[in-house]
């Protein structure tokens, strides 16, 4: 008599809100939500803050301070995590973030406010990189797609409600309470993360990761490279902003910024990243490619809709934020099964590029500006599947001792990619779109679509060489 055949149960990946990971997942998502909410609401309160502090140019300076400090913290946190583990960098990052919130809320002058934004950038940079390392060391590989989908959702909700809530708080009790109100919410997040920080929850490793070695494990050269890259990015952005009013000065500053980036950036990335070497180098660079293409257009959609189509701020915001629907849908879909990740990233880059090209249809006479909405849902879908897949592939390709350095590299190219295309997009608007916003926007579409097309072409190089 033969034994009855058994039917294999369908594969069920670990649940990130199951008993094994519940408190770690809730703590991580709450911290990321708080960081994202601060970032999304800052634009809504900046007019009130700049008026009270008597600094009309406060937005640009505070953004640059946050950018430079964040880039520096990304690298420092990666070094620290690889050498000593993720708990202390994470706690330092959260602590700095809270201090920055308090300083911003209490700022009596623009100088203190800019310092507060720099402290927030340090805190956010430390915390986010440490969270990536925490995911690599606490979560089983099968659970990581779902926690990355959760991270995407933690950014989507603040994108939808952050500006509105920030504006309401600023108009009712004052802009300072946008910062003060975040501080108490950090406490429950830390309590939930204590088991993961101690290495208990979800931890299936019996021994600590090997100590980092190699050129990206040397603190002094890496810190100097991070400082040069951060300052170079800030100088380049400032110089680019000056090109339309003071071309010579702006050109000199831009050249200095590019030189600093050329010296510092290669030392922060895996060897061969800037030439899209096979495997990890291209995987890391794809994060910057996707961010550069998407955010380079994203920042100018409201401007075009208001100037060219007469949309109200609310209507322009709706057309823009529907991209969050596509992003969250893409993040959900990539977590549903095992995928060929390079192919999925190629699809993501193609979807982002397609969405960008669709936005150009709004410039055809007689067509409505609401074309932006479905176009940006498509682009958001590409970001949802692409960004999570890049993060997962980076973890798979990273030795334990290099998880911090590679997580930092992801954040560096993400920040640089989006910041530089936004900066150059502003230059194009000023130079080409000064009298015709539509023409300036089309030039941005051409620039970012070219970047997205590059991503489609090189995504296959994410695979390791045979």
């Amino acid at each position: 008599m033969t034994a009855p055949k058994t039917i294999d149960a369908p594969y069920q990946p670990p649940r990130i809100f199951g008993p094994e990971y519940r408190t770690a997942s809730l703590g991580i998502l709450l911290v990321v939500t708080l960081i994202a909410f601060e970032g999304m609401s800052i634009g809504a309160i900046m007019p009130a803050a700049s008026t009270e502090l008597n600094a009309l140019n406060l937005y640009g300076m505070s953004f640059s301070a946050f950018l430079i400090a964040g880039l520096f913290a990304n690298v420092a946190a990666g070094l620290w995590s690889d050498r000593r583990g993720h708990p202390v960098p994470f706690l330092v990052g959260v602590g700095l973030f809270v201090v920055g919130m308090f300083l911003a809320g209490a700022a009596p002058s623009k100088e203190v406010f800019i310092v507060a934004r720099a402290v927030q950038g340090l805190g956010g940079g430390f915390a986010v990189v440490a969270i990536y390392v925490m995911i690599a060391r606490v979560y089983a590989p099968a659970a990581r797609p779902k926690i990355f989908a959760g991270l995407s959702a933690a950014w989507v909700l603040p994108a939808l409600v952050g500006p509105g809530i920030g504006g309401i708080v600023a108009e009712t009790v004052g802009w300072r309470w946008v910062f003060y109100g975040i501080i108490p919410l950090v406490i429950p997040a830390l309590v939930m993360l204590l088991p993961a920080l101690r290495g208990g929850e979800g931890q299936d490793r019996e021994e600590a990761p090997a100590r980092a070695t190699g050129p990206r494990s040397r603190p002094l050269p890496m810190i100097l490279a991070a400082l040069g890259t951060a300052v170079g990015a800030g100088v380049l952005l400032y110089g680019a902003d000056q090109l339309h009013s003071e071309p010579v000065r702006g050109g000199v500053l831009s050249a200095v910024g590019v030189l600093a980036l050329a010296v510092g950036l290669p030392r922060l990335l895996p060897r061969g990243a800037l030439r899209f070497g096979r495997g990890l180098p291209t995987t890391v660079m794809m994060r910057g490619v996707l961010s550069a293409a998407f955010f380079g257009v994203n920042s100018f959609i409201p401007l075009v809709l208001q100037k060219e189509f007469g949309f109200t701020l609310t209507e322009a915001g709706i057309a823009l934020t529907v991209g969050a629907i596509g992003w969250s849908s893409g993040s959900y879909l990539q977590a549903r099964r095992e995928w060929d990740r390079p192919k999925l990233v190629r699809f993501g880059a193609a979807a982002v590029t397609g969405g960008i090209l669709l936005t150009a249809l709004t410039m055809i006479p007689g067509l409505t500006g609401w074309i932006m909405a479905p176009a940006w849902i498509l682009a958001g879908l590409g970001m949802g599947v692409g960004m999570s897949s890049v993060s997962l592939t980076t973890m798979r390709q990273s030795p334990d001792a290099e998880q911090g350095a590679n997580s930092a590299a992801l954040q560096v190219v993400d920040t640089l990619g989006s910041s530089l295309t936004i900066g150059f997009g502003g230059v194009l608007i000023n130079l080409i779109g000064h009298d015709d916003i539509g023409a300036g926007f089309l030039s941005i579409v051409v620039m970012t679509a070219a970047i997205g097309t590059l991503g489609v072409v090189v995504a296959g190089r994410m695979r390791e060489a045979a």
Side-chain angles (χ1 to χ4, degrees):
M1 187 173 179
T2 59
K5 293 183 179 180
T6 59
I7 300 176
D8 292 335
Y11 169 71
Q12 294 291 335
R15 294 179 298 141
I16 62 171
F17 294 114
E20 189 177 9
Y21 299 119
R22 182 183 297 120
T23 56
S25 298
L26 290 172
I28 287 172
L29 296 181
L30 180 54
V31 169
V32 172
T33 299
L34 295 177
I35 294 173
F37 180 82
E38 185 275 338
M40 298 300 176
S41 61
I42 191 72
I45 68 169
M46 196 55 67
S50 61
T51 299
E52 183 176 331
L53 299 176
N54 193 28
L56 294 179
N57 58 348
L58 188 62
Y59 189 91
M61 291 188 294
S62 65
F63 175 80
S64 296
F66 189 95
L67 165 69
I68 292 172
L71 277 175
F72 180 81
N74 290 155
V75 177
L79 281 168
W80 201 347
S81 296
D82 282 340
R83 294 172 70 87
R84 302 293 183 184
H86 62 271
V88 176
F90 175 78
L91 292 173
V92 169
V94 172
L96 287 171
F97 184 70
V98 169
V99 170
M101 292 293 100
F102 180 80
L103 284 175
S109 65
K110 69 175 184 180
E111 290 80 11
V112 175
F113 188 86
I114 292 169
V115 170
R117 289 289 290 157
V119 174
Q120 291 167 26
L122 286 172
F126 271 106
V128 170
V129 169
I131 283 173
Y132 272 66
V133 178
M134 190 187 307
I135 290 172
R137 296 181 181 175
V138 172
Y139 288 78
R144 293 173 190 165
K146 289 194 172 184
I147 189 62
F148 277 114
L151 288 181
S152 293
W155 280 97
V156 166
L157 181 61
L160 292 172
V161 304
I165 294 178
I168 292 172
V169 172
E171 291 176 354
T172 53
V173 296
W175 62 269
R176 297 178 185 274
W177 285 96
V178 172
F179 298 107
Y180 288 147
I182 293 175
I183 295 174
L185 300 177
V186 173
I187 298 173
L190 289 179
V191 171
M192 286 184 283
L193 280 170
L194 283 178
L197 293 174
R198 289 197 297 261
E201 183 167 298
Q203 180 64 272
D204 56 4
R205 302 182 183 227
E206 295 184 356
E207 46 185 57
R211 188 179 180 87
T213 59
R216 289 192 296 153
S217 67
R218 299 166 187 163
L220 183 58
M222 286 291 285
I223 293 298
L224 292 176
L227 186 60
T229 300
V231 173
V235 171
L236 175 57
L237 288 173
Y238 181 75
D241 187 58
Q242 299 292 308
L243 285 173
H244 69 285
S245 58
E246 299 183 57
V248 175
R249 183 167 179 259
V252 171
L253 288 172
S254 298
V256 172
V258 169
L259 179 61
L261 283 173
V263 172
L265 182 59
R267 290 162 172 77
L268 306 180
L269 307 179
R271 185 183 298 274
L274 295 180
R275 54 181 174 80
F276 291 93
R278 281 202 170 273
L280 179 64
T282 294
T283 301
V284 169
M285 288 298 293
M286 283 302 300
R287 176 74 166 262
V289 168
L290 290 170
S291 292
F294 181 86
F295 290 108
V297 174
N298 186 79
S299 299
F300 298 97
I301 288 178
L303 175 67
V304 172
L305 292 178
Q306 291 172 53
K307 298 294 185 181
E308 292 288 306
F309 297 95
F311 277 34
T312 65
L313 286 172
T314 301
E315 290 171 337
I318 291 172
L320 181 64
T321 55
V322 293
I325 298 173
W327 194 315
S328 57
S329 299
S331 297
Y332 172 79
L333 291 172
Q334 64 82 31
R336 297 300 296 167
R337 48 166 283 191
E338 280 297 313
W339 300 90
D340 183 321
R341 293 292 168 176
K343 286 185 178 179
L344 201 58
V345 174
R346 173 169 283 159
F347 167 80
V352 170
T353 306
I356 290 170
L357 293 174
L358 282 176
T359 65
L361 295 179
T362 57
M363 297 297 106
I364 298 177
L367 293 184
T368 174
W370 285 108
I371 292 174
M372 293 287 191
W376 225 232
I377 289 176
L378 175 62
L381 176 70
M383 291 296 282
V385 299
M387 295 290 270
S388 295
S389 295
V390 166
S391 299
L392 287 165
T393 307
T394 299
M395 288 186 176
R396 291 174 181 172
Q397 294 175 335
S398 299
D400 288 352
E402 297 179 7
Q403 288 167 346
N406 292 334
S407 296
L410 286 177
Q411 297 302 315
V412 167
V413 296
D414 188 324
T415 302
L416 280 178
S418 57
S419 299
L420 293 179
T421 51
I422 291 170
F424 286 118
V427 173
L428 293 172
I429 287 291
N430 285 321
L431 294 179
I432 301 175
H434 187 268
D435 298 316
D436 185 354
I437 293 293
F441 181 73
L442 284 177
S443 66
I444 293 172
V445 167
V446 171
M447 175 183 70
T448 52
I451 295 172
T453 302
L454 172 66
V456 175
V457 172
V458 303
R461 297 182 63 81
M462 292 171 58
R463 300 184 194 282
E464 301 281 1

